[in-house]
Every structure is written in C-alpha cells, then in structure tokens.
Amino acid sequence: MYNDEIVNEVKNSNDIVDIISQYVVLKRSGKNYFGLCPFHSEKSPSFSVSPDKQIFHCFGCGTGGDVIHFVSKIENINFYEALRVLADRAKIQLPVSNIELNNDEIQLKEKIYEINKIVADFYHQNLYQKTSRVAQEYVKKRKLDNKTLKEFQIGYSGDYNEVHKILQKKGFSQEEIMQSALVKKSQSGKYMDTFRKRLMFPIKDLQGRIIAFGGRVLDDTKPKYINSPETKVYSKSRNLFGIYNAKKNSPEEIIIVEGYMDVISLYQRGITNVVASLGTALTEAQGRLLRRFSNKVIIGYDSDSAGQNATMRGLEILQKLGCDMRILQLEGAKDPDEFVLKYGTEYFKKFIEKSISLVEFKVKILKKELNLESANDKIKFLKEIAKVLSKINNNIEQEVYMEKIADVYKISKEAIEAEVLKLADSKTTGIKTLERRIIVKKENEDKIEVNEATKRREKMIIYLLLNFSEQSFKKIKHITVDEIKINKNKEIIQIIYGELNNPNGNINNILNRLEENQVDYITEIMAEDFEIVDVNKCIDEILISYEKEKYINLRNQIVKQLQKPDDLSKDEIAELENELNEIILKLAKIK
C-alpha cells in the first residue's frame, strides 16, 4: 500500500476544485462551489465542493469523498488507478506498490492490455499479407496512406481461431483470453475469434493503451460493424475513438463525429482534433472527457435524420456540462469523410469556422417546423427559443441573442426577456437555499431510536475530531464508543480514535481507511455548517450534555427501582434515596 506521505503529496498537488472543474461546471457561492452532480441526474445543483476541506459532497445522492475518490468514481477505476492518474498529472513518480502487484483484478487488467497489444500488432501485420488483398483494396479505395494506417494501427482480422492460437502460444490462460472478449466459445464447445475477416480499428485510452476494437466487414455481411463488448478495461460510454491521437496535439477545440472512418480520414488530411463516439449517442461521461481537453466542442454528425437526432442529444449533454458548443453544417456530402474527400481540407476548415451555435441551430430547426407567419406558431417559436436562452449562463451572450432574435424575427426584446425570466423564476430552490439545507437521513440500520439532538451531537463529534483534532481529542476521548447511540457513528468514531491514538496515525487520510458508504457519510457531515463560533466552548457543551445524560439515566434507574419498594430492604431504600439526592444536586449544578 502507498504510504500516507505519497498519498498526501498526490492530493496536495491536485486541487479538488481544479480537478472537478474539468468534469463539472462549478460556480462559487460563499466558501464553496456548487454544480450539477455528475453521479445522478438533477436539474438544480446539489453537488458541493469545498476548497478549504478539499472534499466534495452531493446533497442529492449522498456521494462524497476527496479528490482521489472523485477521480475513482468519475472514471470508474479503483483507488490505486485514480492515485496513479493524479500522480501522472502532477508528474509525481509513484513507487511500485505491493498491493498493486497482489491485486488479482489489477493483474487481470494488465493481462488484457497485453493481450490487446499483441492482437492489435497481429491484425496490423496481417493487413500487409498477400491473403489480405480485399482489405488492401478497401483502404486504397478510401485513400488511406501508410502513415495513417500505422498511426491508427489499422489491421485486418484473420479467419476462425488465429487469435486464439497466438494467445495460447504466448502462454495466456483460457480465463485471461476469454476476459479479453477477443475469443468466444461456440455452442459446440470450440473456441473461435470474435473478429473474423474484418478491417480492424484498435480503440485506445488516454494513455495510449489499446482497450477494445471495432471491426468492419468488407462485403455485404451483416452487421457492417461489430465492436468489443464491455470488459475489465473497456466501457464504451466512457471512451472516445481517436481521443489519444487528438489530445497529443493540445487542441483548442475538438470535433466529434460518428464513425471511425470520419476520424481517420480527417486526421490524415490535417484535421487532427477529431474523435468519434463508440457506436452510441454521446454520453455524459464522454462529454466530460471532451471537456477535459477543450471547452469548445464542434458536433459533426451525419446530415441524415439519425445524425440530427444524435446532434440534439449531444447538444443537451454538452450544454449541461458548460461547453462552448458549435454545430458543423456541411453541404453536398452525407458525412465528414465524404466531404473532405470530395472538397478537400481547406474547404472543410471554412465550414468549421462557420459552425453555428446551439441557439442558431435550434432556430434553424424551428424555422423548418413552424410557419412564422402564423401567430400561434410565432408564439410557440418564442416559447421554445426562451427555453434555449434561459439555459445560457453568460448574461452578455444571452443579451446578444435576445437582440438578434428580436431584430430578425420582429419580436419584442421585452417579450423574449419576460419569457426567459418566467422560466428562470419557475426553477426550483437555488444554491443559496441549498447552502442552508441540512439533509437528515434515516438510520435504517439502527434499532435504537434517537432524537434529532443526539444525531446532531454525534455528527458534531465526528466533525470536531476531523477538523479540530488537537483541540478536541484530549477531551472528547473521554466519551466512550459505547456511549455513542448510532451504529455507523460508533464505527467511524472508533476508527478515528484508533487513528488519533496511533503516534504514526494520519487523520488527514482517514477517508482512505473507510468503506465507500462511510466516506459518503463523513463528507456529508464535513459539508454541514454547524455554526461553531468557539470550538472549545462547543466541546465543553458536548461533554456536559453527555455528563447530564449519564446522570439522568442513573436517576431514572433509581426511580424505577424505588417504584418497587417490596423488592428492597429499608437499608437499600435509604441508600438509593441518598444516591438519588446526590444525582439531583449534580444535575442542578450542571444546569
């Protein structure tokens, strides 16, 4: 396991606001930043990031943690992989970790990466063989040169079970081979390659590792394309074809297209800032990936109805993520590949420069659907445009579009503004209210019923121990774990006590020692505002409340015993009454 010093160095070198801002549009409000949660669907921001505490917490779904937890969740990788990603970003060299070497899942992933590389090399070399004439003719027809074939490692898959034989010969186990999804088992029990007689497109991740493949038939066989299924190293909704090649050139803007050939054809002709979604409409995870490398995204989907529908879905996702969106409007070709082959690079670049904004695209679509000479359609047009404008966060941009639309379509700017304001007012409670909101969750796992004051008190103990360890622990440690009522608080406080009692302990990395549900719970506590003005006074009040509770419990026990005098001797009754008087006096002093 990496020691605390390494983990701290990585965390301190990666500010949580900077990292999360690559995925989520954050707006400062008070001490914290707020945005729409990337882990569940929501319309009003409930996702909070604290620069002071270097944690995030969503008040909607309850997810929380530090910068390592965030990267782990958003990228769907484990803690150590997230640590490595952040270390690479900060140019920190991580030592070899025993836990990494002994982790079966990590070992399996490394094997799959190795298998994918071997198979990609085989496919690529196979493309140049005499037996691959049909593939050679195809790439020649698509005007792909040798440099491009090598850049994307394009290949040609063999027949029946060539990959299976190669991998067996290399010493991979049957389990490792099957986990790669490059081989499948037939109903008769024979092993055969997943991709056979197809032009092959290796899919790479951001590190340049081959994680999957796409394969295209070169005849009329259906389906035309097949892609790798999900594996331990590949999730199609979280990756983009060509992202590794595109990011190498530090693009100021990224063009997203539909197909492998669109990417490859454009790249060969000098348009290197291009990627493609992998057989699905654009997902939020892919949108966040785009946003990491460029805030400006140009959608260049096909001009057919399916492409236009995909464009609309993509626009909604990118708008939510706060991207500067543009839509490529090509004329005279069905897709970017056909266009650049037909008209050339320079003409294509002119269309990139003329890409239209979301508002302009929506106006164009609405104009096709509506008759603006009709009063009813004009009202509908106004309402639909107001919806688009209400989602623009930049006030200046919003103002410019209002004036332009008012001028072109002869609609009063005041009417547009009123409709936009109406939509803004109808939105649910904003960030300011959220900051004051405290989410109280039911302690379903606890059988003992506790009141809200006890819940708050126990949360406050955790808050004090984490944020004011030196001041609080000397006193609070006198509250025993057995005195804590709620089970999950009991478990967490026991872990914190253990860490603070350990001379080599590090409370700053306590989140790394907890289960996922405990991390979420702790960040919820840390995100709450307990309105503590004087820390020492707050600690004393908590200790007093426990002392008072202890005496009240003793008092109640004695009263209960005295209610059954027949079970007691005269001396026992006298002793209990004296004890009761002492407790009452102590309670009076506490008050």
Side-chain angles (χ1 to χ4, degrees), residues 123 125-137 156-157 197 218:
Y123 288 152
Q125 294 303 320
N126 195 45
L127 178 64
Y128 297 95
Q129 303 303 315
K130 290 180 181 178
T131 51
S132 304
R133 193 67 55 84
V134 64
Q136 293 162 10
E137 290 297 323
Y156 186 60
S157 52
K197 298 295 182 185
L218 301 176

Side-chain angles (χ1 to χ4, degrees), residues 443-451 454-455 458 482-487 490:
E443 314 296 341
N444 292 326
E445 71 277 17
D446 291 301
K447 292 179 181 177
I448 300 170
E449 286 200 15
V450 292
N451 57 35
T454 301
K455 289 178 185 179
E458 291 187 2
D482 290 337
E483 290 179 88
I484 304 300
K485 300 284 194 302
I486 298 168
N487 285 335
K490 192 175 290 192

Side-chain angles (χ1 to χ4, degrees), residues 110-126 153 155-157 162-173 176-177 180 182 200 202 208-213:
E110 292 301 326
K111 290 288 184 183
I112 296 172
Y113 288 131
E114 192 180 344
I115 286 171
N116 287 343
K117 185 181 184 306
I118 290 167
V119 174
D121 288 340
F122 162 69
Y123 288 152
H124 185 61
Q125 294 303 320
N126 195 45
Q153 216 170 338
Y156 186 60
S157 52
E162 288 180 25
V163 164
H164 187 238
K165 284 179 180 177
I166 289 167
L167 295 177
Q168 279 190 314
K169 193 174 179 181
K170 292 281 185 182
F172 292 100
S173 70
E176 290 163 352
I177 294 170
S180 76
L182 289 167
M200 298 303 298
R209 297 174 299 193
I210 295 167
I211 54 175
F213 295 87

Side-chain angles (χ1 to χ4, degrees), residues 331-342:
E331 296 169 2
K334 72 176 187 300
D335 57 39
D337 174 32
E338 183 183 299
F339 186 95
V340 78
L341 283 171
K342 196 172 178 181

Side-chain angles (χ1 to χ4, degrees), residues 11-27:
K11 284 165 67 175
N12 292 338
S13 302
N14 288 279
D15 180 74
I16 195 165
V17 175
D18 290 344
I19 297 298
I20 293 180
S21 292
Q22 294 177 8
Y23 302 85
V24 180
V25 179
L26 296 175
K27 289 185 178 180

Side-chain angles (χ1 to χ4, degrees), residues 172-335:
F172 292 100
S173 70
Q174 198 61 53
E175 169 67 12
E176 290 163 352
I177 294 170
M178 296 305 288
Q179 285 286 340
S180 76
L182 289 167
V183 173
K184 56 188 179 182
K185 199 172 184 179
S186 68
Q187 288 184 339
S188 62
K190 292 181 180 180
Y191 292 100
M192 55 195 236
D193 297 348
T194 302
F195 299 96
R196 301 182 303 282
K197 298 295 182 185
R198 288 176 179 265
L199 193 70
M200 298 303 298
F201 305 96
I203 299 163
K204 295 180 181 180
D205 66 8
L206 290 171
Q207 286 75 48
R209 297 174 299 193
I210 295 167
I211 54 175
F213 295 87
R216 186 196 195 284
V217 293
L218 301 176
D219 54 22
D220 295 327
T221 307
K222 299 292 182 183
K224 183 195 281 189
Y225 281 95
I226 61 170
N227 302 298
S228 293
E230 306 265 315
T231 68
K232 294 284 184 183
V233 302
Y234 175 60
S235 169
K236 67 180 179 180
S237 66
R238 292 176 175 272
N239 290 280
L240 293 161
F241 179 73
I243 189 68
Y244 175 70
N245 308 78
K247 74 150 189 164
K248 287 191 293 184
N249 300 290
S250 303
E252 291 183 5
E253 60 188 26
I254 290 184
I255 304 166
I256 181 164
V257 294
E258 282 189 58
Y260 301 124
M261 285 306 302
D262 288 324
V263 172
I264 294 163
S265 183
L266 291 172
Y267 194 96
Q268 178 174 300
R269 289 158 184 86
I271 313 292
T272 58
N273 56 331
V274 59
V275 299
S277 46
L278 293 159
T280 58
L282 188 72
T283 66
E284 278 197 37
Q286 289 170 331
R288 287 192 292 268
L289 189 57
L290 287 170
R291 196 176 182 278
R292 281 180 62 182
F293 297 102
S294 176
N295 192 42
K296 186 175 181 181
V297 179
I298 299 171
I299 298 182
Y301 289 154
D302 296 356
S303 58
D304 58 19
S305 58
Q308 293 296 300
N309 289 336
T311 297
M312 292 298 287
R313 289 193 297 272
L315 288 170
E316 289 171 7
I317 287 167
L318 293 170
Q319 184 180 43
K320 182 180 176 182
L321 295 172
C323 292
D324 177 6
M325 297 163 291
R326 294 290 183 269
I327 300 93
L328 188 62
Q329 299 281 282
L330 297 177
E331 296 169 2
K334 72 176 187 300
D335 57 39

